[in-house]
Amino acid sequence: MSGSVSGSVIVAALRSPIGTAGHGLAGVDAATLAAPVLRAVADAVAVGGVTGRIDEVVLGNCMGPGGDVARVAALAGGLGIEVPALTVDRQCGSGLAALEVGAGLVAAGAGLVLAGGVESASTAPWRMWPPVEGETPRRYQRAPFAPTGFDDPDMGLAADLLAEESGVTRERQDAYAARSHRLAWAARERGGYDAEIVPVAGLVHDERPRPGLSEDRLARLPATFRPGGTVTAGNSCGISDGAAVVAMVPAGVQAAAGLPGLRVLATASAGVAPERPGRGMVPAVREALARAGLTLDDLDAIELNEAFAGQVLACCDELGLDPDRVCPDGGALALGHPWGASGAVLAVRLFTRLVREGRGRRGLAAIAVGGGQGVAMVVEAVA
């Protein structure tokens, strides 16, 4: 996205619990899942002293029914018929891309934007290719990420190949996955997620984190995507349902209301070869940091979407980033990966760490995208 976004401030950030597909949120469609989170964020900024209408709702979504999920969710959340809404699809990066769009709208003059993402893998409609010459319609699991002439591997296979090419061993992947579950369970037990979660359909906690998921247990799992591979069900994220939303306002509105928040210093989107989509966050991170005039050493909190342990570790190695700095309260390997929402979940996690808990000043959120893209955002806590 072109143009400055540095006048945009996130002043509220909430999410639903993340449910494992087919379980706690299985009966909640995408719009119904996003609606209470939108409502809660709108109420939070109103209580905080931000008045006036919501100028736009922007939600990322990948696999919903269409029909502008953001608009349906805004109406279901009681935000008012006068509030316009836009649905963004950058696949796994949709939630963070929605924040990028929202920050740009605020920088262009909007007074209050709600931005985030939602995914209900459980209720995603079945899609069919139309029949050809009398054949039976064929169901497809995903649309093509690249046109004919480009390799377009499934994300798991691509992550496995990236790990191999980057020299990331199975042992490192299992150790990192075990770490994610250990940290996420510890955060859940101490109430580290409580302030950011809006209960939905009776679910109050993330479903996926597992206590005691050791490296030894993970080592017993077979390769999932190719014989002799290193990516398994245990060191991959889970297919999940969830929603996350932030409120963005101009810096002047934030200062007048006296609300602490996260100033958006810079955003960036980038492209890489479609056959290795997991690398997409690397150039996006580099560009966002360059636009912000910062380096990784200047950051206090780093949230990368953990789609696959091997993919995250390969990106960390390429960036020269110590993986122990990433997702200190666990990430998508433990929490799950609700595709269209995951990028926004990263921003909510930064808000909790830097604003609610005051553990540092500057942070980074980044996510890789099917088809070979990446999205990154750099933020700074402000009083």
Side-chain angles (χ1 to χ4, degrees):
M1 172 172 285
S2 60
S4 172
V5 295
S6 60
S8 306
V9 183
I10 297 170
V11 292
L14 296 168
R15 65 178 179 90
S16 73
I18 299 174
T20 299
H23 290 78
L25 298 174
V28 186
D29 63 43
T32 307
L33 179 51
V37 186
L38 285 168
R39 180 73 265 167
V41 171
D43 290 345
V45 295
V47 169
V50 177
T51 58
R53 60 164 270 174
I54 299 166
D55 290 298
E56 186 78 70
V57 170
V58 188
L59 290 181
N61 179 253
C62 300
M63 299 295 289
D68 194 352
V69 169
R71 172 65 171 171
V72 180
L75 291 172
L79 300 189
I81 60 172
E82 72 281 3
V83 178
L86 169 69
T87 302
V88 173
D89 181 358
R90 203 192 286 269
Q91 289 298 294
C92 296
S94 299
L96 198 54
L99 268 65
E100 188 177 29
V101 171
L105 290 170
V106 170
L112 172 59
V113 173
L114 304 188
V118 61
E119 203 69 59
S120 174
S122 294
T123 67
W126 288 11
R127 291 169 166 82
M128 303 283 184
W129 292 114
V132 177
E133 297 180 355
E135 293 180 354
T136 301
R138 293 177 293 112
R139 184 184 176 192
Y140 68 91
Q141 300 296 326
R142 67 167 174 88
F145 290 152
T148 302
F150 289 83
D151 288 339
D152 186 19
D154 286 338
M155 296 293 285
L157 175 59
D160 205 322
L161 294 170
L162 176 62
E164 179 182 60
E165 293 162 1
S166 302
V168 179
T169 66
R170 168 71 184 269
E171 291 73 21
R172 282 186 70 195
Q173 294 175 57
D174 288 346
Y176 186 86
R179 167 190 180 269
S180 188
H181 279 270
R182 182 173 64 253
L183 294 173
W185 186 259
R188 171 176 159 167
E189 288 299 284
R190 71 169 183 272
Y193 301 136
D194 291 356
E196 69 189 34
I197 288 181
V198 178
V200 176
L203 190 64
V204 298
H205 293 300
D206 303 310
E207 288 189 300
R208 182 173 165 82
R210 295 290 180 268
L213 187 61
S214 66
E215 296 171 46
D216 288 342
R217 290 177 61 189
L218 289 169
R220 300 171 195 160
L221 298 175
T224 301
F225 300 101
R226 62 180 182 129
T230 57
V231 176
T232 72
N235 58 38
S236 304
C237 65
I239 298 174
S240 306
D241 306 322
V245 177
V246 308
M248 298 176 136
V249 300
V253 171
Q254 173 263 327
L259 289 173
L262 293 178
R263 183 164 65 101
V264 180
L265 298 179
T267 66
S269 300
V272 296
E275 61 265 26
R276 297 294 179 270
R279 281 197 63 252
M281 70 170 69
V282 172
V285 165
R286 287 173 173 160
E287 181 61 26
L289 287 172
R291 292 178 183 179
L294 300 173
T295 70
L296 289 169
D297 291 338
D298 297 315
L299 303 176
D300 303 299
I302 298 174
E303 294 287 332
L304 305 182
N305 188 58
E306 298 175 343
F308 303 91
Q311 170 251 332
V312 173
L313 290 168
C315 289
C316 287
D317 291 351
E318 188 171 351
L319 288 166
L321 172 62
D322 181 355
D324 284 341
R325 297 180 62 196
V326 175
C327 299
D329 291 324
L333 287 166
L335 300 176
H337 180 11
W339 306 305
S342 291
V345 171
L346 302 177
V348 174
R349 296 268 61 244
L350 288 177
F351 192 90
T352 290
R353 185 172 180 83
L354 298 177
V355 178
R356 292 188 175 101
E357 300 176 352
R359 292 189 287 166
R361 180 183 175 195
R362 298 190 182 104
L364 165 73
I367 190 167
V369 182
Q373 299 186 80
V375 188
M377 175 175 287
V378 182
V379 296
E380 179 179 53
V382 291

